[in-house]
Amino acid sequence: MMTAELIIIQKIRAAFSIPQDISDEWITRNTYIFETVDAKEAINYLPIFMIWVLNNHRANPQSSAYIHLLQALNEYSKCKRNNNPHLNLWHQLNKQQKAVVRAFLKHLLENQSANIDRQDIQKILDRFAAVE
């Protein structure tokens, strides 16, 4: 694993409460979790999925956990108002958490190994910046 990934993982651990009872196996079996929970609950899963992606995306660039996390962040990035409980994740994050999510996305943008268009990740970053 690259040093940059380790630094981002440390930032994730510092900014979020990390669930200790979620295994790698659980993550790979529950890649659709963000589609089934509201944004408040999604915040509980977001850090562990980001850590999983940073630990695994080079070895498994086509993993559904990686793809579905980016799709979920894409959907959350489209929410412009705080009044949508299913999509207002960005509005519920504190400043430090937002900075960590941006660092995670920027790292993926520059170190992309999956078949995801860089423009899509940039759009997510741009949308999140627009509702800052």
Side-chain angles (χ1 to χ4, degrees):
M1 182 179 321
M2 294 177 57
T3 304
E5 290 158 348
L6 292 173
I7 291 169
I8 296 168
I9 288 171
Q10 289 173 342
K11 289 180 180 183
I12 293 168
R13 292 185 187 284
F16 290 91
S17 186
I18 308 293
Q20 299 300 313
D21 58 342
I22 297 179
S23 67
D24 285 356
E25 181 182 341
W26 187 92
I27 290 169
T28 58
R29 282 193 337 255
N30 291 280
T31 60
Y32 291 95
I33 191 71
F34 295 102
E35 295 176 16
T36 64
V37 298
D38 65 15
K40 188 173 184 172
E41 189 175 349
I43 292 171
N44 296 323
Y45 298 111
L46 181 61
I48 199 71
F49 270 77
M50 289 190 302
I51 290 170
W52 188 93
V53 166
L54 291 169
N55 283 329
N56 294 284
H57 81 279
R58 290 186 190 281
N60 193 359
Q62 297 297 324
S63 76
S64 60
Y66 177 51
I67 303 300
H68 288 277
L69 175 59
L70 289 180
Q71 288 174 343
L73 288 171
N74 184 50
E75 289 303 309
Y76 295 134
S77 75
K78 295 175 184 177
C79 183
K80 302 299 181 208
R81 295 203 172 100
N82 194 16
N83 63 352
N84 184 332
H86 292 287
L87 294 176
N88 70 353
L89 178 133
W90 191 252
H91 300 279
Q92 295 186 38
L93 298 178
N94 65 39
K95 187 176 181 177
Q96 181 185 14
Q97 291 169 330
K98 288 177 181 180
V100 169
V101 173
R102 278 193 302 271
F104 168 77
L105 288 167
K106 286 177 184 176
H107 178 75
L108 293 180
L109 184 67
E110 299 303 322
N111 297 282
Q112 173 115 215
S113 55
N115 188 22
I116 303 260
D117 189 350
R118 289 176 43 95
Q119 291 177 343
D120 290 339
I121 294 174
Q122 188 61 57
K123 282 181 188 176
I124 296 169
L125 283 164
D126 292 345
R127 286 188 202 122
F128 282 152
V131 293
E132 229 9 77

